[in-house]
Amino acid sequence: ESFKKGWKDRIPMMKSLKKHSEDSSLLLSADQDIDTNKFQFGVPLEDCFPSPHNEFVPLIVELCTRIVEARGLEVVGVYRVPGNSAAVTALTEEFNRGIDSVNIDNEKLLDINVISSLLKSFFRKLPEPLIPTDMYERFIEANRYPDEDKRKLKIKRLLHLLPPHHNETLKRMAEHLNKVASYGHINKMDAKNLAIMFGPTLVRKKGDDTVSLVTDMSDQCRIVESIILH
């Protein structure tokens, strides 16, 4: 009951998101190239429906991170324990029909593991990874720099070169995962554990490159861990 009550407290946020989509529909009706019911999954970041709080962050990222921060910070194994795959698929289809199709009373929105799996799925389905393909090797190379301070500096400089949508979305994820990690003594998901979950998803080569998955996995995780911590 208290769990449901906690989620009900977030309903004003969902209503404000829907209000935003309606306002945007009126503002953008003259532009035939912009679809306010555009997909959230499997499309480039810049084509996702934006958050009302930051035009460079997809709405689905904003929503999932807010739900986890509201209800999941003390959930043991958050982002490690998978949610029901059928529920994740159903929510994905619901969001892809447009924000107006999302049922704020949907029981699936109460399941933190479903929400966390939905967010991971979003990043896996991006046609262009959060760290763009043309910058992938530069990030891996920077991470292998022997001097720790210079390694962090090189990664920081590369982050500043990311396109706006990639930069702002990664910044939102870094802030979010840092908050989740700050509850690591309760949820058992410190920065290192979170990096293991997100490293190969946020920092990956385009397509299914199994070779890089094996040779670069430790780099991918270390890069994400550094971003979460610093």
Side-chain angles (χ1 to χ4, degrees):
E1 186 62 36
S2 62
F3 190 81
K4 289 190 176 185
K5 184 177 184 300
W7 165 245
K8 296 297 184 185
D9 292 341
R10 308 305 296 176
I11 285 181
M13 178 189 71
M14 278 294 291
K15 287 181 176 175
S16 73
L17 291 175
K18 289 199 175 191
K19 176 74 164 56
H20 171 73
S21 72
E22 291 163 5
D23 292 345
S24 298
S25 181
L26 293 173
L27 290 170
L28 303 173
S29 59
D31 191 336
Q32 298 303 311
D33 294 327
I34 299 177
D35 180 8
T36 54
N37 288 319
K38 59 177 66 172
F39 282 3
Q40 288 289 330
F41 292 81
V43 297
L45 282 174
E46 55 270 24
D47 290 340
C48 293
F49 195 88
S51 160
H53 306 292
N54 187 330
E55 63 179 309
F56 296 111
V57 176
L59 180 146
I60 190 71
V61 174
E62 181 79 43
L63 183 60
C64 288
T65 53
R66 281 192 177 216
I67 292 174
V68 172
E69 288 173 11
R71 304 299 310 152
L73 293 177
E74 297 185 1
V75 173
V76 175
V78 62
Y79 286 119
R80 179 178 55 79
V81 178
N84 179 276
S85 58
V88 174
T89 299
L91 269 183
T92 300
E93 292 172 354
E94 198 168 307
F95 275 103
N96 267 354
R97 286 196 296 270
I99 185 62
D100 289 331
S101 301
V102 179
N103 175 16
I104 57 178
D105 292 317
N106 193 327
E107 290 290 320
K108 300 178 189 69
L109 291 170
L110 293 172
D111 190 327
I112 289 300
N113 293 330
V114 168
I115 294 300
S116 63
S117 293
L118 187 72
L119 184 60
K120 288 190 291 185
S121 172
F122 168 80
F123 286 111
R124 277 196 302 270
K125 290 177 184 291
L126 284 177
E128 182 67 47
L130 195 55
I131 298 297
T133 304
D134 61 357
M135 295 182 70
Y136 177 85
E137 295 295 348
R138 295 169 70 184
F139 269 89
I140 297 298
E141 184 182 334
N143 184 64
R144 293 176 179 174
Y145 204 81
D147 183 270
E148 181 65 11
D149 289 336
K150 287 184 178 178
R151 181 185 76 87
K152 291 177 188 172
L153 185 60
K154 284 178 177 288
I155 292 174
K156 184 177 181 180
R157 285 174 176 167
L158 287 174
L159 291 172
H160 286 300
L161 297 177
L162 292 175
H165 285 85
H166 292 255
N167 183 292
E168 291 294 322
T169 302
L170 184 58
K171 187 184 296 183
R172 172 65 191 136
M173 284 302 297
E175 292 168 350
H176 169 66
L177 294 176
N178 181 276
K179 182 174 287 189
V180 174
S182 72
Y183 284 76
H185 58 293
I186 299 172
N187 60 38
K188 311 302 180 189
M189 295 298 290
D190 59 14
K192 185 179 289 294
N193 287 333
L194 288 169
I196 291 171
M197 294 295 103
F198 279 94
T201 300
L202 303 185
V203 187
R204 59 181 170 85
K205 276 192 174 178
K206 207 170 185 176
D208 296 321
D209 190 324
T210 51
V211 175
S212 69
L213 190 62
V214 174
T215 59
D216 301 344
M217 184 179 286
S218 62
D219 295 293
Q220 294 165 338
C221 295
R222 193 178 180 208
I223 290 167
V224 171
E225 183 181 3
S226 295
I227 292 171
I228 293 172
L229 290 174
H230 305 291

